Amino acid sequence: MIDTHCHVDFDAFNEDREEVIKRAKDNLDAIINSGTSLDGNKNVLELSKKYEGFLYPSFGYHPVTSQDKSADDLINAQKHLIENIENIVAIGEVGMDYFYTKDKSLRAKQNEIFTSFVKIADEYEVPLLIHARDCEKKAYNIVKEYDGIPNVIFHCYSGSLKTACKILDEDYFISFSTMICYSTHHQQLASEIPLENILTETDSPYLAMTRDERNEPANVIKAGEKISEIQGINFSEVDKVTTSNAKKVFNIK
């Protein structure tokens, strides 16, 4: 399997990062480590060099973080992204988060910043990893206007089935995290979405089985097992198809 969205560069892994990545290598084909800031993108790139052929980098800027940054900060982050466009497998995570951000002016800023990253993905024809919470339809309406993005992934999708169907109509991908193990909403979504459009992730260190746990990439297998249970198919088939999906989406050999 492949964990298509994790953050092993985060401080939560400072004490045992090598052990965490070793457990992932023992169980998985690859992991996609998503950057959430300029400094984070730099760290992700260094990790990808250290674990070349297993850890693949994507560069992004988390919407809740980006809304408080200056124009120069964002320009520098996007300049760094473009300079390394050949070294990354996707742009993300980028998007909008209306769950944490209620202020209308900050939401408008998130929209503007997200659109600027979408335009880069479109111009350079790079896959796009979207963080959209409580605004999935708005994010969909923005990205569907751009035809040059080879693959679009709604990371840890939590929106409605109606919007999910629109996403599927565009042949985009929906990624289910380990939340599917305990979230009835995600389980219901997974029962309706074809395996050919599904990716798996952990969003490590977040979304563990309990509040006291730290999640890690190797746990993505639990998400795959739950999908196999929900869809009534063998885990080996879920493993095969979602891994193939991820390799295609991120152009991993």
Side-chain angles (χ1 to χ4, degrees), residues 32 71 81-82 106 115-116 120 126 132 134 145 157 175 186 192 203 220 232 234-235 245 248-249:
I32 310 297
L81 186 159
I82 292 168
L106 289 177
T115 301
S116 70
I120 295 173
V126 179
D134 286 359
E145 298 301 321
Y157 181 80
S175 181
H186 289 86
E192 301 287 345
D203 201 20
V220 76
N234 290 333
F235 170 74
N245 291 346
K248 178 180 71 173
V249 166

Side-chain angles (χ1 to χ4, degrees), residues 129-196:
L129 273 166
I130 297 176
H131 172 117
R133 193 172 183 191
D134 286 359
C135 55
E136 290 85 0
K137 185 177 179 182
K138 290 183 182 294
Y140 161 78
N141 284 335
I142 290 171
V143 75
K144 73 181 179 68
E145 298 301 321
Y146 295 85
D147 298 326
I149 305 171
N151 290 294
V152 173
I153 308 96
F154 278 77
H155 133 72
C156 197
Y157 181 80
S158 298
S160 69
L161 178 59
K162 183 177 180 180
T163 299
C165 289
K166 292 180 181 292
I167 288 168
L168 297 177
D169 285 344
E170 298 292 334
D171 205 26
Y172 296 160
F173 289 82
I174 286 177
S175 181
F176 286 107
S177 73
T178 38
M179 279 183 73
I180 197 173
C181 296
Y182 52 85
S183 166
T184 54
H185 177 61
H186 289 86
Q187 290 167 9
Q188 183 180 11
L189 286 170
S191 70
E192 301 287 345
I193 294 172
L195 197 58
E196 289 70 22

Side-chain angles (χ1 to χ4, degrees), residues 41-188:
N41 293 339
K42 291 177 179 178
N43 292 335
V44 168
L45 184 60
E46 290 306 307
L47 280 174
S48 73
K49 294 175 181 176
K50 183 174 182 179
Y51 299 101
E52 186 175 359
F54 179 74
L55 186 153
Y56 295 87
S58 66
F59 283 6
Y61 223 120
H62 194 283
V64 179
T65 303
S66 69
Q67 70 186 21
D68 297 321
K69 296 299 181 181
S70 69
D72 284 345
D73 288 329
L74 291 163
I75 288 169
N76 288 335
Q78 292 184 344
K79 180 181 178 184
H80 177 254
L81 186 159
I82 292 168
E83 287 172 348
N84 287 279
I85 204 76
E86 299 296 330
N87 299 320
I88 62 175
V89 296
I91 293 175
E93 64 190 279
V94 293
M96 302 181 294
D97 194 313
Y98 286 8
F99 176 82
Y100 283 109
T101 301
K102 308 299 184 185
D103 181 88
K104 289 184 178 180
S105 63
L106 289 177
R107 286 182 172 185
K109 186 174 181 181
Q110 285 188 8
N111 184 307
E112 180 183 342
I113 293 168
F114 174 51
T115 301
S116 70
F117 279 105
V118 172
K119 288 178 178 177
I120 295 173
D122 182 67
E123 179 180 354
Y124 289 91
E125 299 184 340
V126 179
L128 185 70
L129 273 166
I130 297 176
H131 172 117
R133 193 172 183 191
D134 286 359
C135 55
E136 290 85 0
K137 185 177 179 182
K138 290 183 182 294
Y140 161 78
N141 284 335
I142 290 171
V143 75
K144 73 181 179 68
E145 298 301 321
Y146 295 85
D147 298 326
I149 305 171
N151 290 294
V152 173
I153 308 96
F154 278 77
H155 133 72
C156 197
Y157 181 80
S158 298
S160 69
L161 178 59
K162 183 177 180 180
T163 299
C165 289
K166 292 180 181 292
I167 288 168
L168 297 177
D169 285 344
E170 298 292 334
D171 205 26
Y172 296 160
F173 289 82
I174 286 177
S175 181
F176 286 107
S177 73
T178 38
M179 279 183 73
I180 197 173
C181 296
Y182 52 85
S183 166
T184 54
H185 177 61
H186 289 86
Q187 290 167 9
Q188 183 180 11

